Amino acid sequence: MTATASIEGVEGWLTDAQAARLRERAAAVRAGGRIVEIGSFRGRSTIVLASAAAEGVEVVAIDPHIGSDRGPQEIAAQPALGESDHERFLANLAAAGVADRVRHVRKPSADALGDVDDPIDLLWIDGAHRYGPALDDVVRWGARVPDGGVLAIHDAFSSVGVTLALLRAVTLSARWRYVGRTGSLAEYVRAPRSAASVARQLAALPWFAKNLLIKVATVLKLRRGPWPY
Ligand SMILES: C[S@@+](CC[C@H](N)C(=O)[O-])C[C@H]1O[C@@H](n2cnc3c(N)ncnc32)[C@H](O)[C@@H]1O
């Protein structure tokens, strides 16, 4: 089963190129390791991770499914929508044949820290995109990634909250090195910071500015077309 085939028809915002990158990172985690996803929605990225993970790798998906912070401009909780996301999530995982490869923790990430063991070899963050929760995810969950482990995060240099959280806690941190990005999926490795790593992140800021303009124009209905991911 390829990641691209298995997520066909599964709603979500992860592009095929981003799925391919995530799949590679998941496949690189060795048996006995652990992959943690924050923000599963209807299972698009969960299926990528679970179908790529080697046997013996634990895959944990954290999502409260209460309909809050679902996607662009959908912040407040909408329980009925959350419940339908949950049902679709379970059905999509079953249809992809990975239901028994995923341990779903139905809680907000801030309440789930005690539900997951250390270390986390691949941390994939795509949960609440507001600054506070995004910062909390990067700092508290990121601290559990050991040297050589990977942090991948969606909507980097695209969402204001996620980008500010990254600039504050990761870009200038001595403990994260930027690997690169596929659209808004940014990848970091737990390793000493390098000057090149900081410079390459700062070089993404004009792209961030462009994305903000696109979003403003979309909200004001001055343009139609896809939200930047
Ligand atoms: C952008 S969607 C995730 C998309 C998903 N990764 C995919 O590939 O389709 C954001 C998800 O984060 C979840 N979420 C919101 N607040 C959260 C929190 N505090 N902790 C974990 N997940 C959260 C929402 O329920 C929603 O399903």
Side-chain angles (χ1 to χ4, degrees):
M1 173 175 11
T2 68
T4 306
S6 66
I7 59 173
E8 218 176 285
V10 179
E11 293 166 271
W13 300 270
L14 192 78
T15 68
D16 286 345
Q18 291 168 347
R21 184 168 196 147
L22 203 54
R23 180 180 177 77
E24 260 184 44
R25 293 303 158 265
V29 176
R30 300 222 178 109
R34 180 170 295 106
I35 297 172
V36 173
E37 168 179 84
I38 297 176
S40 308
F41 189 52
R42 297 187 166 196
R44 193 170 166 86
S45 53
T46 323
I47 291 168
V48 171
L49 296 170
S51 59
E55 212 170 297
V57 171
E58 188 188 20
V59 182
V60 183
I62 301 168
D63 194 311
H65 283 148
I66 54 170
S68 63
D69 293 285
R70 275 176 100 237
Q73 301 168 288
E74 290 184 286
I75 306 299
Q78 302 177 76
L81 271 181
E83 204 49 47
S84 76
D85 291 343
H86 183 64
E87 283 163 21
R88 290 309 312 159
F89 170 75
L90 297 178
N92 287 333
L93 263 56
V98 297
D100 59 353
R101 285 294 288 116
V102 178
R103 179 163 70 88
H104 180 213
V105 178
R106 194 171 179 180
K107 292 181 181 178
S109 53
D111 296 342
L113 285 146
D115 291 85
V116 180
D117 289 336
D118 284 330
I120 299 171
D121 303 279
L122 171 59
L123 175 62
W124 161 237
I125 299 181
D126 193 15
H129 288 25
R130 287 169 293 118
Y131 173 70
L135 182 66
D136 199 52
D137 285 344
V138 166
V139 171
R140 294 170 81 195
W141 285 92
R144 304 176 65 174
V145 176
D147 289 347
V150 170
L151 161 67
I153 181 163
H154 205 229
D155 297 293
F157 309 112
S158 168
S159 147
V160 174
V162 172
T163 305
L164 293 181
L166 284 173
L167 290 173
R168 165 137 183 223
V170 177
T171 303
L172 296 176
S173 158
R175 301 186 65 198
W176 288 110
R177 186 177 297 170
Y178 181 61
V179 177
R181 65 179 175 87
T182 300
S184 74
L185 188 163
E187 183 187 336
Y188 297 84
V189 64
R190 189 77 156 175
R193 177 186 60 202
S194 68
S197 153
V198 176
R200 289 176 62 223
Q201 287 175 81
L202 297 180
L205 293 181
W207 189 68
F208 176 44
K210 181 180 160 198
N211 286 334
L212 292 186
L213 288 177
I214 291 173
K215 288 183 178 184
V216 169
T218 309
V219 169
L220 295 177
K221 299 193 183 346
L222 299 174
R223 76 178 277 278
R224 293 173 67 179
W227 205 248
Y229 296 110

